[in-house]
Amino acid sequence: MKKSQLGFLVVAATLLLAGCSGEATVTATPVKNVDTVSVTSPEDIDVFCPTGICTFELSTSAPTKVTVTMHYDYSKLYTKIEGVSVVGEGAKDAKVVDEDQFTVELTKKNTPVKIEVIDFYRN
C-alpha cells in the first residue's frame, strides 16, 4: 500500500472516530408561556415558566438524555410537576424525577419534540 493511501486511511479513521465521540448539542425553543430557556449543558436545561403551564421544543444533534428543571422565575422552582406531555417521534421516556425536574430521552437527531409541562400548584 502506498504511503498516500495509508495516510488517507489514517485521516479517514480519525475523522470517523472523532465523529462518534462528539457530544450532543441540544437546542431549546420557547413555544408558549416560556420566558427563558437555558441549555446549561447537553444534559441539563432550565425552563422559566411564570404561569406553571408551558410548552417548548427540544431537539438534539445526537441521541441524549436530558434533565429539565422547571422554574417560575429566578427565585422560585416548580412546587410539584403534575404532568409532562411529549409530542413527536424524537423522544421517549419522559419521567418526573422530583417536584421540579423531569428527564426525557431525545432519540432522533434534528427532530424537534414538543413538550408541555404543568405544575400542580400553578398560578
Side-chain angles (χ1 to χ4, degrees), residues 1 23 32 63 68 74 83 111 122-123:
M1 185 177 281
E23 195 172 88
K32 185 177 180 184
V68 179
Y74 288 97
T111 304
R122 59 195 168 270
N123 294 329

Side-chain angles (χ1 to χ4, degrees), residues 79-93:
T79 309
K80 179 182 177 185
I81 293 177
E82 181 178 353
V84 178
S85 298
V86 179
V87 178
E89 296 180 9
K92 65 177 185 176
D93 298 333

Side-chain angles (χ1 to χ4, degrees), residues 7-19:
F8 176 78
L9 287 175
V10 169
V11 170
T14 302
L15 289 174
L16 286 174
L17 290 174

